[in-house]
Amino acid sequence: MNLLDCTLRDGGYYNSWDFSIPLIQGYLSAMQAAGVDVVELGFRSLKNSGFKGACAYTTDAFLNSLSLPEHMDIAVMINGNELVGELSVNEVIERLFPVSSTESPVSLVRIACHAHEFSQALPATECLKRKGYLVGFNLMQVADRTEQEIKELACLAADYPIDVLYFADSMGGMSPDQVAQIIGWLRNEWSGALGIHTHDNMGLALSNTLRALNEGVSWVDSTVTGMGRGPGNALTEELAVEMAERRGKTINLVPLMALIHAHFKPMQVRCGWGKNIYYYLAGKYGIHPTYIQEMLSDSRFSEEDVLAVIEYLREEGGKKFSLNTLDAARHFYHGSPKGRWMPVAKFGGRDVLILGTGPGVAQHRAALEHYIHIYQPLVLALNTQSAISAELIDLRVACHPVRLLADCELHKELPQPLITPYSMLPENVQESLKDKCILDFGLNVQASVFRFSEKYCTLPVSMVIAYALAIATSGQASRILMAGFDGYGADDPRNIEMDRLLDLYRSSAGAREVLAITPTRYRLDTTSVYAL
């Protein structure tokens, strides 16, 4: 049995593989004390765009600058996509591994491949074996492959002198029984050593790894604190204990726990790897964890946004990460817009006061209520904003399907009619609002566009404020006043996104005058509710 720790390779996605030398040296000592057999210190790569630290390349020169423990093998990984490009496999290997294993600190080279890259990357095995390296192949995203496909991949591998054939639970959605099933399928065509690399989306990384060991797998991966993309991996501090017990050996965890306390726990707080409900759902529905990682690191995505994107990707497919797909998923509404209600009868020629959800509404409640009593604007509240007297609010507006589902009981209790793109909402949301007085105003999303029609609008994003501005504009309001749009901290990207949205609105045909009447950090013309 071989325990391979790949913390500095898999964890490098969080810090661009820029680990300090003191951390690396402490890590190597801790791995030796914990009974780890192999450490994968990083990637080897020919790609060089943007700054990445030493562990993105893990050159022999860098490795020779370290104090490497005796009796511990050093591994590096290659991404299979570097072997299927313009350069031949031989040329890539020659550039990445110019010397033989006897002249290099590296003894094991692993190649991570998707199924469609596997046959083209396999000849790298022979190139590396001629240089004396041990060779492993990691098959990624095999959970959704059929029995026949997995057997065919194993059959291809059997024609090459691979030292260990790994499979990865890339989406973190496997159960122990599925792990055992895939091992059985591989064993039909592959008699060599097998390995497993697990992800912890559903909290099963350790269980899946232990089941694999029980099924005869002899190579297992882990990382310190599970550090890795998204929810991370099986924890080295746990798997090391299990491996020591199976081997009947004692290990020393003190250096590892001290390392975790000094370095990895603070990094985890900053970077946020580890399982949560979003990663759990991604694992359950076969969604690439990078979607979750990107959304959690972007403050523009609310809890409702994350859940709505997961639901979209569940239906549309999200096994391969794409920023374009993420952007499309965030907009929720697609296809031709449709609606049944025309806002002009209520809005035409009137001042409209939009109440946002910021603290400015509650802080200036008395002045806002006095203004409403005297001047009688049409008052439009976003979502369930209730910081002023209910009788002063004329209508509510909401369009986010997840937020609507979460707020449906509250909307039923609130007395105001609700403007929402009802005809375009998912069936479960429509059902939850069936007893509510609904004003159905449609929307669709088109990048960089505001367009205003009688019964629907086109928006650049499906944000509720964009929808509210469009409703007031389609309804031919006189002007739009905004309260409770306080904004965020100076460096928060949500300020930038809102400013772009407001700039785009003001430049659109038919746009109304917009004034903030409570404090705001957005680029809005302002006046004071007290002066009004």
Side-chain angles (χ1 to χ4, degrees):
M1 293 186 295
N2 295 278
L3 174 56
L4 184 151
D5 184 281
C6 50
T7 305
L8 304 190
R9 192 268 304 169
D10 218 349
Y13 289 99
Y14 285 101
N15 67 347
S16 298
W17 296 273
D18 191 20
F19 296 94
S20 70
I21 298 300
L23 184 152
I24 295 173
Q25 290 295 170
Y27 160 80
L28 289 168
S29 298
M31 292 300 96
Q32 186 175 44
V36 170
D37 303 290
V38 184
V39 289
E40 189 170 70
L41 284 174
F43 282 104
R44 283 269 170 104
S45 177
L46 295 177
K47 295 180 179 179
N48 187 10
S49 59
F51 175 80
K52 298 182 182 72
C55 292
Y57 305 100
T58 328
T59 62
D60 285 348
F62 170 67
L63 292 172
N64 286 326
S65 73
L66 302 173
S67 178
L68 300 173
E70 296 181 6
H71 312 300
M72 181 184 288
D73 288 328
I74 303 299
V76 295
M77 178 173 276
I78 313 171
N79 274 320
N81 57 22
E82 297 207 37
L83 297 171
V84 297
E86 296 179 2
L87 298 176
S88 69
V89 169
N90 281 353
E91 190 171 355
V92 174
I93 296 301
E94 193 60 40
R95 289 190 185 188
L96 292 176
F97 300 91
V99 300
S100 68
S101 64
T102 57
E103 302 171 80
S104 170
V106 174
S107 56
L108 169 66
V109 179
R110 297 204 299 176
I111 301 168
C113 278
H114 291 95
H116 68 274
E117 301 162 335
F118 193 51
S119 61
Q120 289 178 270
L122 277 169
T125 308
E126 293 170 332
C127 305
L128 289 163
K129 293 298 287 185
R130 283 196 297 269
K131 290 177 173 288
Y133 293 98
L134 296 171
V135 180
F137 265 83
N138 286 31
L139 281 168
M140 298 188 289
Q141 296 187 10
V142 298
D144 59 340
R145 297 286 167 178
T146 65
E147 177 181 0
Q148 184 61 33
E149 287 173 320
I150 288 174
K151 287 180 177 178
E152 287 173 359
L153 292 168
C155 187
L156 287 172
D159 290 334
Y160 290 86
I162 298 170
D163 293 287
V164 54
L165 179 63
Y166 266 83
F167 67 98
D169 179 17
S170 303
M171 304 301 182
M174 284 187 189
S175 68
D177 287 345
Q178 287 175 297
V179 167
Q181 183 180 59
I182 287 173
I183 291 169
W185 292 344
L186 289 168
R187 275 285 171 237
N188 273 275
E189 304 292 342
W190 171 260
S191 59
L194 280 173
I196 188 169
H197 179 94
T198 59
H199 286 179
D200 208 27
N201 298 61
M202 302 178 72
L204 294 174
L206 181 62
S207 298
N208 286 340
T209 301
L210 296 178
R211 179 64 178 273
L213 286 167
N214 293 339
E215 297 291 331
V217 162
S218 55
W219 287 74
V220 291
D221 283 10
S222 63
T223 59
V224 176
T225 68
M227 187 182 189
R229 279 197 290 186
N233 313 100
L235 278 64
T236 297
E237 53 269 32
E238 295 176 350
L239 192 52
V241 172
E242 296 291 337
M243 292 290 284
E245 186 175 293
R246 287 171 183 255
R247 292 165 166 171
K249 293 182 178 180
T250 59
I251 57 173
N252 177 12
L253 287 178
V254 172
L256 176 54
M257 301 316 294
L259 183 78
I260 290 171
H261 176 76
H263 294 286
F264 285 96
K265 278 300 179 185
M267 288 173 65
Q268 189 171 19
V269 170
R270 292 196 307 272
C271 301
W273 67 84
K275 59 183 181 287
N276 58 41
I277 184 58
Y278 305 125
Y279 286 123
Y280 180 90
L281 292 170
K284 185 175 180 66
Y285 302 139
I287 296 167
H288 200 290
T290 302
Y291 283 110
I292 310 301
Q293 187 172 319
E294 286 290 323
M295 288 191 286
L296 293 183
S297 65
D298 187 338
S299 61
R300 296 175 302 165
F301 285 85
S302 66
E303 292 83 357
E304 296 96 335
D305 289 334
V306 177
L307 290 169
V309 168
I310 289 172
E311 187 62 27
Y312 171 86
L313 294 171
R314 176 188 181 185
E315 297 296 327
E316 300 297 323
K319 294 185 184 301
K320 183 177 180 181
F321 176 73
S322 162
L323 281 171
N324 290 335
T325 301
L326 177 57
D327 189 53
R330 187 183 176 220
H331 292 152
F332 313 125
Y333 296 99
H334 307 275
S336 299
K338 52 188 175 181
R340 294 191 290 264
W341 173 72
M342 293 187 293
V344 67
K346 287 187 177 291
F347 286 74
R350 297 183 66 182
D351 281 357
V352 174
L353 173 59
I354 300 177
L355 299 179
T357 55
V361 176
Q363 289 169 3
H364 304 284
R365 173 175 178 166
L368 288 167
E369 290 183 345
H370 180 71
Y371 167 71
I372 295 167
H373 277 299
I374 299 298
Y375 291 100
Q376 300 292 304
L378 188 146
V379 180
L380 188 63
L382 302 188
N383 296 314
T384 56
Q385 162 63 271
S386 299
I388 69 168
S389 298
E391 64 269 18
L392 298 179
I393 297 174
D394 297 296
L395 301 167
R396 293 189 177 275
V397 57
C399 61
H400 197 300
V402 174
R403 180 68 182 267
L404 279 163
L405 199 58
D407 291 343
C408 65
E409 294 303 319
L410 188 53
H411 276 302
K412 290 176 185 177
E413 295 174 6
L414 292 167
Q416 301 84 12
L418 175 65
I419 308 172
T420 193
Y422 186 82
S423 300
M424 304 180 70
L425 293 173
E427 288 185 12
N428 62 332
V429 184
Q430 290 183 353
E431 178 66 21
S432 72
L433 295 171
K434 65 181 181 180
D435 298 325
K436 178 71 180 175
C437 177
I438 296 292
L439 305 175
D440 183 9
F441 188 75
L443 75 85
N444 77 339
V445 176
Q446 183 178 336
S448 304
V449 171
F450 267 104
R451 194 174 295 123
F452 315 107
S453 301
E454 288 185 337
K455 296 181 182 179
Y456 63 86
C457 59
T458 299
L459 309 175
V461 291
S462 51
M463 292 170 62
V464 66
I465 180 55
Y467 186 52
L469 289 170
I471 292 164
T473 309
S474 292
Q476 299 177 28
S478 174
R479 62 175 179 169
I480 299 171
L481 307 176
M482 297 173 65
F485 292 86
D486 301 57
Y488 302 92
D491 296 327
D492 196 306
R494 287 173 290 187
N495 285 335
I496 298 171
E497 183 177 35
M498 178 64 87
D499 283 335
R500 287 174 179 165
L501 180 73
L502 293 167
D503 288 344
L504 182 60
Y505 170 77
R506 284 186 291 254
S507 67
S508 301
R512 272 30 194 178
E513 177 189 10
V514 180
L515 285 173
I517 62 172
T518 58
T520 183
R521 294 186 179 91
Y522 300 131
R523 241 182 355 248
L524 281 165
D525 291 334
T526 59
T527 189
S528 172
V529 64
Y530 296 96
L532 295 176

